[in-house]
Amino acid sequence: MYTQEEAKQLRKQFWILFGKRCKLVPELQDGNKKWVLYDTKITGLDLKFEVDRQSAKVIIEVNHRNEKKRLEIFEKLQKYKPILENGFEDGLEWDFLYVRESGEEVCRVFVEQKGFDIHRQNQWPDIYNFLIDNMLWLESNFMDIRDVLKEEL
């Protein structure tokens, strides 16, 4: 078991090594290409990685402060569900009411791999592969609809 400080350092090391691993991804080696993440060009919509003691997730998160706007964005995403789920054998999880640890309500569309534990360093290569492979798909699918989505919102 790790102390709180040790767990914090472990998480920091995980993400540092993840950044180094991403530099080896051919799709990310073209110039200064980086993950879209918070630069979606749509207010209140982000792409995210999340890893904890139970699983790893690659997420589209709708976190607009205005609930009506948040649900509107989520409904628009649902309209493009076939495009967003392209390449995901089992589809994506759609959660219109996810409550973060902070109590903030958001909407999420995600793919999850259970059984991963960030504290198990021997799992890190598999976690990195899961995160990279799935974010490449999710980001590509999102970019296919981003401009249309922006116009509709």
Side-chain angles (χ1 to χ4, degrees):
M1 203 65 175
Y2 294 104
T3 67
Q4 190 172 5
E5 184 58 33
E6 289 170 333
K8 180 180 175 182
Q9 289 302 316
L10 190 68
R11 291 185 71 77
K12 182 178 178 181
Q13 170 119 18
F14 174 89
W15 291 111
I16 289 169
L17 290 175
F18 179 67
K20 290 179 181 179
R21 172 65 178 84
C22 287
K23 290 179 182 178
L24 303 175
V25 176
E27 294 86 346
L28 297 175
Q29 290 179 346
D30 185 27
N32 289 332
K33 168 118 175 58
K34 295 184 180 183
W35 298 113
V36 171
L37 301 180
Y38 300 102
D39 192 22
T40 62
K41 309 285 191 235
I42 298 174
T43 302
L45 189 146
D46 301 322
L47 301 179
K48 294 184 168 197
F49 297 108
E50 189 173 276
V51 183
D52 58 26
R53 299 289 318 273
Q54 289 82 39
S55 68
K57 295 178 187 164
V58 174
I59 306 162
I60 295 176
E61 184 174 273
V62 183
N63 50 30
H64 201 284
R65 292 180 184 182
N66 180 299
E67 182 181 18
K68 184 178 176 188
K69 186 70 172 173
R70 186 171 62 242
L71 294 175
E72 178 188 353
I73 295 168
F74 187 75
E75 286 175 10
K76 294 290 183 188
L77 288 173
Q78 287 179 311
K79 178 180 172 182
Y80 297 105
K81 184 175 182 174
I83 295 170
L84 287 172
E85 291 190 340
N86 182 40
F88 291 96
E89 191 174 306
D90 297 323
L92 297 169
E93 298 288 326
W94 294 76
D95 188 349
F96 77 94
L97 181 58
Y98 178 85
V99 181
R100 290 188 187 165
E101 285 184 19
S102 65
E104 180 184 7
E105 295 177 356
V106 297
C107 302
R108 284 187 163 186
V109 180
F110 63 94
V111 61
E112 177 179 31
Q113 176 67 54
K114 294 184 189 265
F116 281 144
D117 181 348
I118 194 168
H119 286 190
R120 294 187 178 168
Q121 292 181 3
N122 64 326
Q123 291 184 344
W124 287 7
D126 293 331
I127 296 171
Y128 294 156
N129 290 336
F130 170 82
L131 295 175
I132 290 167
D133 293 345
N134 285 285
M135 184 57 86
L136 286 171
W137 274 112
L138 192 62
E139 187 177 273
S140 175
N141 294 350
F142 171 75
M143 294 305 285
D144 287 344
I145 67 166
R146 180 179 70 179
D147 292 340
V148 174
L149 198 60
K150 247 175 91 172
E151 287 176 19
E152 292 183 0
L153 295 169

